[in-house]
Amino acid sequence: MKFNTKTIHGGQEHDPAYGSVMPPIYQTSTYAQSTPGGHKGYEYSRTHNPTRNALENAFASIENGKHGLAFGSGLAAIDAVIKLLEPGDEVVSTNDLYGGTYRLFTSIFKKFGIKFHFIGMENASNIECYINEKTKLIWVETPTNPMMNIIDIKATAAIAKKHQLLLAVDNTFATPYLQRPLDLGADIVMHSATKYIGGHSDLVMGALIVKDKDLADRLYFIQNASGAVCGPQDSFLALRGIKTLHIRMQRHCENGRAVAEFLNNHPKIEAVYWPGFESHPNHDIAKAQMNDFGGMVSFTTKGNNYEEAIKIVENLKIFTLAESLGGVESLAGHPASMTHASIPREEREKTGVVDSLIRLSVGIEDEEDLIADLKQAIG
Ligand SMILES: *Cc1c(COP(=O)(O)O)cnc(C)c1O
């Protein structure tokens, strides 16, 4: 089965009871037993739920994995991965990281004795400088948020293999439509399904996908033991989202390209961060590991004026000023005052999050309307 067919049919069976084409929403916490232990494979919904299982099979299918796990949020999925580790273990992680991931690593897991190295991975050989006998995991996010840096997954997987480390890739921005990390040698793929997978800004959910049975069993144990699962209603919505992932992503990419090119030619714009430009420092890697370049575009204005950036995001009419990304509707964010406001200016500026940086999640509206909106807002 090819990708587009997988989004619709991957891992799915028609409901055995009545043949319903969509899996029913099994809104139940528990399942009747005929005798103690005599059940039909389901005992309690933290452990298993048929609607969630249908979704987990779809996750596994679209990422070319064997086992999928669905969680109550992206961060709950990341939390489960780090719980594979022991006190004293070390993690080498991307530095330009989703803020919530950074907070989870530094504010929660650091105090349980896990050490994190946050480093620039645009040059993969840099990673080996931080590996020692305590290192257990490499955590990669690519493209990164909000600077759209690209990390070479295949080269990183080779390093992980050489040192017998796990490689986990946060594939939220790219989705399996654009890149499939398991095919490139990663061990774990993670998603905030809240974003492109759900695709309609109507749920919060996380996912993990792996190939290895042993690793899957350890993660299923953590999922059940820690309990951060998603409910059947949200599982249904995510399944419905996946069925249109390929056509949504195609349009996100087309509109993202149009917006990036418009901004690049605008006299008031200083820099545009989008991996599709040949001038992007890792364009060649993006081209090799991604099928297209996605709908996320960040930019700065000439003069780097904080108030001007605020005015632009306030002026936007079709783009909604909001956190999050990946929905059908276009969103705009101002990282310096929103997602990265808690990071001291000096720190955030080191990774490029300057005062005038604006991040766009380009939706699937008409391209002309999006460009007209940006034109009037930038002035
Ligand atoms: C949103 C996001 C997360 C966290 O996911 P939640 O569903 O909000 O918990 C992790 N990584 C990336 C890249 C994200 O955009």
Side-chain angles (χ1 to χ4, degrees):
M1 238 189 260
K2 293 179 71 179
F3 183 77
N4 296 349
T5 311
K6 278 186 176 181
T7 64
I8 295 163
H9 299 289
Q12 302 307 299
E13 286 162 23
H14 298 154
D15 179 56
Y18 300 108
S20 75
V21 168
M22 277 304 280
I25 302 167
Y26 282 96
Q27 193 76 46
T28 187
S29 60
T30 189
Y31 307 82
Q33 307 192 7
S34 54
T35 180
H39 55 74
K40 298 176 177 171
Y42 293 92
E43 291 169 276
Y44 186 61
S45 281
R46 172 165 27 75
T47 318
H48 298 111
N49 174 280
T51 318
R52 196 177 85 225
N53 284 7
L55 172 66
E56 291 178 329
N57 292 339
F59 282 150
S61 171
I62 58 175
E63 282 287 3
N64 288 349
K66 290 211 170 75
H67 312 277
L69 299 95
F71 292 85
S73 71
L75 285 174
I78 301 171
D79 178 90
V81 174
I82 305 303
K83 283 175 178 162
L84 292 166
L85 307 180
E86 307 274 340
D89 286 350
E90 297 192 8
V91 179
V92 183
S93 166
T94 312
N95 59 356
D96 181 23
L97 201 62
Y98 176 72
T101 309
Y102 180 82
R103 182 178 57 198
L104 176 65
F105 288 175
T106 54
S107 304
I108 306 286
F109 283 110
K110 208 167 131 191
K111 69 182 180 208
F112 292 104
I114 295 167
K115 189 168 172 187
F116 295 88
H117 302 270
F118 298 98
I119 66 162
M121 292 184 174
E122 293 74 48
N123 183 352
S125 60
N126 195 22
I127 297 170
E128 276 193 303
C129 310
Y130 294 86
I131 293 176
N132 60 47
E133 69 284 355
K134 291 180 184 154
T135 314
K136 292 286 154 57
L137 172 71
I138 302 177
W139 185 270
V140 165
E141 197 179 307
T142 182
T144 66
N145 175 25
M147 297 312 297
M148 309 303 297
N149 294 318
I150 300 290
I151 294 158
D152 188 336
I153 298 173
K154 214 182 213 173
T156 309
I159 293 167
K161 206 134 281 155
K162 180 175 153 197
H163 297 274
Q164 297 182 312
L165 312 175
L166 286 175
L167 170 61
V169 176
D170 182 336
N171 205 26
T172 300
F173 269 38
T175 83
Y177 176 83
L178 295 178
Q179 85 191 359
R180 293 191 275 280
L182 296 178
D183 290 350
L184 300 170
D187 301 290
I188 303 173
V189 169
M190 174 264 154
H191 279 280
S192 169
T194 313
K195 316 294 169 52
Y196 286 107
I197 298 259
H200 297 75
S201 307
D202 54 8
L203 57 85
V204 174
M205 184 187 286
L208 298 177
I209 302 102
V210 304
K211 277 184 168 165
D212 182 72
K213 171 85 168 66
D214 237 36
L215 181 58
D217 285 344
R218 287 162 67 203
L219 289 167
Y220 282 124
F221 181 83
I222 293 166
Q223 182 194 38
N224 183 48
S226 287
V229 295
C230 56
Q233 176 85 34
D234 283 354
S235 299
F236 176 88
L237 285 173
L239 263 169
R240 188 163 77 159
I242 288 173
K243 287 181 194 294
T244 56
L245 178 65
H246 55 304
I247 49 174
R248 286 187 285 109
M249 286 308 292
Q250 188 180 1
R251 186 63 66 85
H252 281 298
C253 290
E254 286 167 15
N255 285 355
R257 175 185 301 275
V259 163
E261 280 169 0
F262 163 76
L263 292 168
N264 212 27
N265 292 319
H266 195 290
K268 287 194 180 169
I269 302 304
E270 173 76 32
V272 183
Y273 301 96
W274 179 67
F277 289 130
E278 267 173 42
S279 57
H280 184 287
N282 273 347
H283 174 70
D284 288 345
I285 295 166
K287 229 165 101 179
Q289 74 185 15
M290 299 170 76
N291 296 321
D292 204 337
F293 304 107
M296 297 301 298
V297 181
S298 298
F299 66 97
T300 57
T301 48
K302 285 188 178 143
N304 191 31
N305 186 295
Y306 186 94
E307 284 73 28
E308 188 189 25
I310 301 276
K311 197 153 255 148
I312 292 171
V313 292
E314 284 175 355
N315 283 347
L316 288 164
K317 293 193 169 75
I318 293 176
F319 283 84
T320 301
L321 177 60
E323 310 269 359
S324 199
L325 62 112
V328 290
E329 60 290 288
S330 291
L331 301 180
H334 180 243
S337 66
M338 296 166 73
T339 46
H340 292 61
S342 59
I343 304 173
R345 176 193 298 259
E346 250 173 61
E347 279 301 306
R348 67 172 159 81
E349 287 190 343
K350 268 190 219 156
T351 55
V353 183
V354 298
D355 284 353
S356 74
L357 186 79
I358 292 172
R359 188 192 77 177
L360 302 177
S361 170
V362 182
I364 62 170
E365 301 94 335
D366 279 307
E367 167 189 319
E368 294 79 4
D369 289 330
L370 297 180
I371 286 174
D373 193 27
L374 286 164
K375 204 178 245 172
Q376 65 80 22
I378 296 167

